[in-house]
Amino acid sequence: MKFTGEDAERLAEEGNFSYATDYAYDAGQGLGEETVRYISSLKEEAPWLLDFRLRCLEQFRRSAMPDWAPLKKADIDFSAIRYYLARDRVPRRSWEDVPDAVKSTFDRLGVPEREKKFLAGVEAQFDSEMAYAHLQEELAERGVLFVSSAEGLRDHCDLFRPFFGKIVPAEDNPFAALNGAVFSGGSFIHVPAGIVLEKPLQAYFRINAENFGQFERTLIVAGENSEVTYLEGCTAPRFETATLHAAVVELVALPGAKIHYLTVQNWSRNVYNLVTKRGLAREGAQIRWLDCNIGSRLTMKYPAVLLAGRGARGEMVSLSIAARGQQQDTGARMVHLAPQTSSRIIAKSLSIGDGIATYRGSVTVAAGASACRSHTRCDALLLHPESVSRTYPKLSGHGDGCTLEHEAAVSKISEEQLFYLRQRGFGENQAIGLLVNGFFQDLLRRFPLEYAVELRRLLEMEVEA
Amino acid sequence: MGKELAIDAVTVLQGGQCRVENFSTALPAGQVYALLGPNGAGKSSLLRALAGHPDYAIASGSLTCDGESLRELSAEQRARKGLFLAFQSPVELPGVPISQLLRAARQVRLEEGQILDVLAFHGELLAAMDRLAMDHSWAGRGVNEGCSGGEKKRCELLQILLLKPRYALLDEMDSGLDRDALRLMAGVLDGLRREGMGILLVTHRKSLLDLLPPDRVLLLRDGKLLRSGGRELLHGWEMGKGGEAAEP
């Protein structure tokens, strides 16, 4: 998601992030057993995986959204969605092999520049299959796997299967089940024990077809005492009818491992963004989520960490913006299953116009998990009188000597702040942009510089829109 | 016409009340005018109205900056024309670093299509901070965030140094400053004055006027210009906050 200022302007003008693409493989519209079988056969999957998909489909049919959810299954016409599209099934590894139309997309978004500059490997998903996947030799030399979900499950089944579908089971929620049935694309990463990756791994993906739900699936397994940072960012085209994005992300941090997962999402205004993210942290391991939600019609996302070993640490930092007509229903879940585990949640949201930003947090401490600590900080900024912020924190502790804290604040931009900035020469929108950037400043600092710069620009665009 | 900030027969309304009535003065470039008066005399109201605060309307009269009318312009347009208001109690802008604010403020003052030379700007910023004895780490701090009164005033002065206004309206710029800081501020302001900046100074402190002798003294009471004259007006003028306007 690399824009130049000119790109941003052009995109804002066109209101459309899409390119014309002809699809070589298309599962057609609708969701049935034959759709699932088609996807599975196209990927030449093992029987166990087809069984998994069919079980998930069955689970999806049985499931219902929880009572509190701002979305019911009936709100989406699942028969009108296209569940699989691929321009080309074979992931490409050489830049020369990438079709020109795809290159023009990447050029516009700056992917090659980014790769040149700093990153260990760029993996980008063009619609549901990887169009461009490049593993730097460094990664291969160190035994790190960074592959598509299909490749991971086919060629490295022994590494991934033990965890696949175990951290986020299909029973968790209808969209996790739906993903299990029709998933394609996404990244599978395996970092061997003791390997510390200094540079972040990066994925780039986007949705590029109307009525096409994107169901990517990510699984990261970090071996004992290994460290990995993963970056995902996306833009999506803007279309008239609703688009569904239902992803599943599973993280496994084995004892002493550290996983840092960064997401920057800027969905077009008609996307339902329903993502299930969950990590399992074993003894002394650490999982940190850094999540930025911009755009979409409705986002529901509550990244979780299961703190399953003594001394494990979990963190969720969330930045969300609910612009006019949008709903960001986000939060975090920390489950303390072992003694001396700690967690931290920082959530900041901005509501613009009639935008609704909701925080749902849940921190639970299991019986026997003693001496756990958890701290939640929740800040909301409301831009207009009609802007809405809601907070639903849930803290429940059973263990001995646990400290669970929750702080929350709601603020508005004052007339005096606006006048101060106008007196310094800024128009009202610019002034609001500066103040909004200031509100998020401490969180923006946590992003790599390039992302932080993009985010600032995006924030300004949102505010000025 | 020479270069000046001309305030002619200005009446200021706020909340339906008349705060300043029929006020006139013309501040030439490179001069210091002291605006004195007791609390509630209308000094701050006048400065806010001049700067274009939406709640302080110039109901009648004219305001021109070097011959160009400002009255019809918004606060931000007046600022870009070179009018600067140093606030009596500068508001905090949490998370907006002073460096970012100034960089953006310099950018908006450029012609369309021009891009600020960021490196040169940064050098300028650090030099200005040195001049004001501010630690460089201050550049990354939120504007006025968690600052003492004196620190906020120093931050206002830093902005003047970087934004180089033609006319600066200083609303009790000296409050909260110790003697050394006051001396430093007066020295910097005097330097800017010599470079051509006009200063309209609201203060309750005699010592600032000793350090930065005004070219003209304006006495305001109950929203009206009581007297206007040379430094001799300072003699016998009660400088205290209560400001019982002991007339000479």
Side-chain angles (χ1 to χ4, degrees):
Chain A
M1 214 182 58
K2 161 87 175 171
F3 294 128
T4 65
E6 282 161 17
D7 279 335
E9 276 169 35
R10 193 151 17 99
L11 291 179
E13 254 172 46
E14 293 171 3
N16 184 353
F17 301 1
S18 174
Y19 281 82
T21 309
D22 52 329
Y23 296 100
Y25 296 86
D26 181 349
Q29 293 187 344
L31 178 62
E33 209 179 297
E34 59 294 350
T35 313
V36 172
R37 286 183 186 280
Y38 174 79
I39 295 169
S40 188
S41 69
L42 210 58
K43 292 173 171 289
E44 296 161 11
E45 286 176 349
W48 74 267
L49 197 46
L50 174 61
D51 285 348
F52 171 86
R53 287 181 182 275
L54 292 170
R55 275 203 316 277
C56 287
L57 179 65
E58 192 46 42
Q59 174 61 31
F60 172 70
R61 287 174 169 159
R62 279 201 306 267
S63 63
M65 292 297 277
D67 292 339
W68 52 262
L71 177 80
K72 303 296 165 215
K73 270 172 83 181
D75 295 336
I76 295 177
D77 181 2
F78 293 97
S79 67
I81 290 173
R82 203 168 237 109
Y83 290 90
Y84 185 80
L85 280 174
R87 177 69 185 80
D88 186 343
R89 287 185 306 133
V90 186
R92 293 168 187 278
R93 292 196 178 273
S94 151
W95 183 240
E96 285 69 38
D97 293 342
V98 176
D100 286 346
V102 177
K103 275 183 186 166
S104 83
T105 303
F106 287 142
D107 276 349
R108 177 161 169 181
L109 296 162
V111 173
E113 279 96 300
R114 170 162 288 174
E115 186 210 354
K116 263 185 250 155
K117 273 190 208 153
F118 71 122
L119 291 169
V122 171
E123 175 185 297
Q125 182 180 335
F126 191 73
D127 289 351
S128 47
E129 207 68 50
M130 257 180 294
Y132 173 61
H134 187 123
L135 290 178
Q136 295 280 343
E137 279 177 15
E138 185 192 337
L139 286 183
E141 272 171 22
R142 302 177 78 183
V144 176
L145 283 175
F146 184 19
V147 296
S148 71
S149 58
E151 195 178 334
L153 291 168
R154 190 184 60 232
D155 301 340
H156 310 282
C157 196
D158 53 324
L159 291 176
F160 292 116
R161 190 176 170 182
F163 304 107
F164 174 78
K166 301 294 198 302
I167 314 300
V168 178
E171 291 74 22
D172 190 77
N173 68 73
F175 292 94
L178 179 64
N179 176 285
V182 298
F183 76 92
S184 57
S187 305
F188 275 36
I189 295 169
H190 184 271
V191 185
I195 296 293
V196 175
L197 293 174
E198 296 81 11
K199 297 173 193 164
L201 300 176
Q202 190 190 33
Y204 191 95
F205 62 92
R206 59 197 302 267
I207 295 177
N208 202 23
E210 187 171 11
N211 279 350
F212 164 51
Q214 186 148 345
F215 304 93
E216 85 275 4
R217 196 158 182 121
T218 298
L219 171 58
I220 300 177
V221 180
E224 289 191 23
N225 299 312
S226 68
E227 292 181 25
V228 58
T229 296
Y230 184 71
L231 279 157
E232 63 173 0
C234 19
T235 62
R238 181 176 295 185
F239 286 110
E240 294 304 313
T241 54
T243 303
L244 175 62
H245 176 248
V248 167
V249 179
E250 298 176 290
L251 308 182
V252 179
L254 294 176
K258 292 180 180 172
I259 302 178
H260 194 191
Y261 195 103
L262 288 79
T263 305
V264 178
Q265 292 185 321
N266 175 29
W267 296 103
S268 80
R269 300 301 161 96
N270 51 9
V271 168
Y272 284 108
N273 183 32
L274 312 164
V275 177
T276 311
K277 289 178 163 176
R278 191 169 304 153
L280 174 72
R282 305 302 296 268
E283 191 171 340
Q286 181 183 314
I287 290 180
R288 293 156 67 204
W289 300 100
L290 178 52
D291 212 302
C292 172
N293 297 299
I294 303 178
S296 87
R297 171 171 170 179
L298 168 68
T299 289
M300 287 178 68
K301 199 199 297 184
Y302 321 96
V305 183
L306 309 174
L307 300 151
R310 183 180 290 268
R313 288 162 61 190
E315 183 183 81
M316 168 63 193
V317 176
S318 154
L319 183 164
S320 28
I321 297 172
R324 286 182 179 78
Q326 296 181 353
Q327 209 171 342
Q328 300 287 357
D329 206 291
T330 60
R333 244 181 92 194
M334 294 292 168
V335 186
H336 294 258
L337 298 167
Q340 291 164 3
T341 49
S342 61
S343 63
R344 181 160 65 160
I345 300 168
I346 304 172
K348 285 201 175 193
S349 69
L350 168 71
S351 307
I352 303 172
D354 62 354
I356 303 171
T358 304
Y359 169 81
R360 290 178 209 274
S362 150
V363 177
T364 52
V365 179
S370 56
C372 294
R373 286 179 294 121
S374 180
H375 186 264
T376 301
R377 168 90 213 175
C378 228
D379 289 318
L381 180 64
L382 306 177
L383 221 52
H384 298 105
E386 67 272 29
S387 306
V388 180
S389 158
R390 297 179 184 140
T391 305
Y392 303 100
K394 207 168 80 185
L395 305 175
S396 57
H398 300 284
D400 293 333
C402 292
T403 318
L404 308 183
E405 296 167 323
H406 177 90
E407 292 174 76
V410 179
S411 56
K412 291 177 180 181
I413 287 172
S414 75
E415 290 297 323
E416 194 62 16
Q417 286 174 321
L418 271 186
F419 179 60
Y420 187 93
L421 284 167
R422 293 183 62 195
Q423 210 298 306
R424 298 308 182 242
F426 300 103
E428 187 168 334
N429 281 341
Q430 268 180 307
I432 293 170
L434 277 167
L435 291 166
V436 166
N437 261 313
F439 174 72
F440 287 119
Q441 173 74 11
D442 55 336
L443 300 194
L444 291 173
R445 267 190 207 142
R446 293 164 175 259
F447 288 88
L449 189 63
E450 295 208 0
Y451 271 71
V453 169
E454 277 169 24
L455 279 171
R456 286 212 171 84
R457 224 172 263 145
L458 279 169
L459 282 173
E460 279 155 20
M461 278 167 62
E462 286 295 325
V463 167
E464 287 172 20
Chain B
M1 195 192 332
K3 288 194 168 178
E4 60 180 20
L5 182 70
I7 304 162
D8 190 30
V10 160
T11 291
V12 176
L13 292 179
Q14 183 250 330
Q17 295 206 3
C18 182
R19 299 293 175 196
V20 177
E21 198 182 333
N22 198 28
F23 180 94
S24 298
T25 195
L27 167 67
Q31 293 204 11
V32 177
Y33 278 24
L35 179 63
L36 309 178
N39 283 341
K43 306 182 299 291
S44 293
S45 296
L46 177 65
L47 298 196
R48 286 180 163 248
L50 298 180
H53 193 292
D55 294 343
Y56 295 79
I58 297 181
S60 63
S62 71
L63 172 67
T64 58
C65 176
D66 297 346
E68 189 176 358
S69 176
L70 298 185
R71 198 184 146 184
E72 303 73 27
L73 300 184
S74 64
E76 56 269 31
Q77 287 167 324
R78 292 183 202 191
R80 290 178 205 177
K81 295 281 180 199
L83 199 61
F84 187 97
L85 171 61
F87 287 78
Q88 189 181 352
S89 314
V91 68
E92 294 192 16
L93 308 179
V96 182
I98 182 81
S99 58
Q100 191 195 341
L101 175 93
L102 284 169
R103 190 173 143 180
R106 281 283 287 272
Q107 177 65 52
V108 300
R109 281 163 172 75
L110 297 178
E111 300 278 318
E112 206 167 318
Q114 279 189 298
I115 290 175
L116 184 71
D117 180 342
V118 177
L119 278 179
F121 162 78
H122 205 67
E124 223 182 299
L125 175 64
L126 296 183
M129 295 183 89
D130 289 341
R131 196 166 160 195
L132 300 180
M134 294 168 86
D135 191 88
H136 288 184
S137 66
W138 209 328
R141 275 168 66 177
V143 177
N144 300 322
E145 199 176 353
C147 289
S148 70
E151 285 174 331
K152 288 180 181 175
K153 298 307 164 95
R154 208 176 281 234
C155 181
E156 296 286 283
L157 186 57
L158 179 70
Q159 294 177 54
I160 294 178
L161 277 176
L162 269 296
L163 299 182
K164 306 181 183 82
R166 288 195 268 182
Y167 299 94
L169 316 173
L170 310 180
D171 198 351
E172 296 191 30
M173 186 84 172
D174 49 286
S175 62
L177 294 181
D178 62 29
R179 190 184 296 239
D180 287 344
L182 187 69
R183 193 175 296 276
L184 177 68
M185 173 176 290
V188 169
L189 288 172
D190 192 51
L192 291 166
R193 181 189 63 75
R194 286 169 200 275
E195 289 166 28
M197 186 175 82
I199 298 173
L200 184 58
L201 187 68
V202 169
T203 183
H204 288 287
R205 262 168 101 167
K206 181 80 161 54
S207 49
L208 179 60
L209 298 174
D210 291 339
L211 292 164
L212 190 66
D215 297 284
R216 202 164 183 83
V217 177
L218 312 169
L219 302 183
L220 194 70
R221 192 166 63 180
D222 297 331
K224 295 191 182 85
L225 183 61
L226 205 63
R227 296 196 57 180
S228 154
R231 247 166 280 173
E232 68 280 1
L233 285 186
L234 293 174
H235 304 299
W237 176 260
E238 177 56 57
M239 295 295 293
K241 279 252 176 189
E244 290 66 45
E247 247 183 280

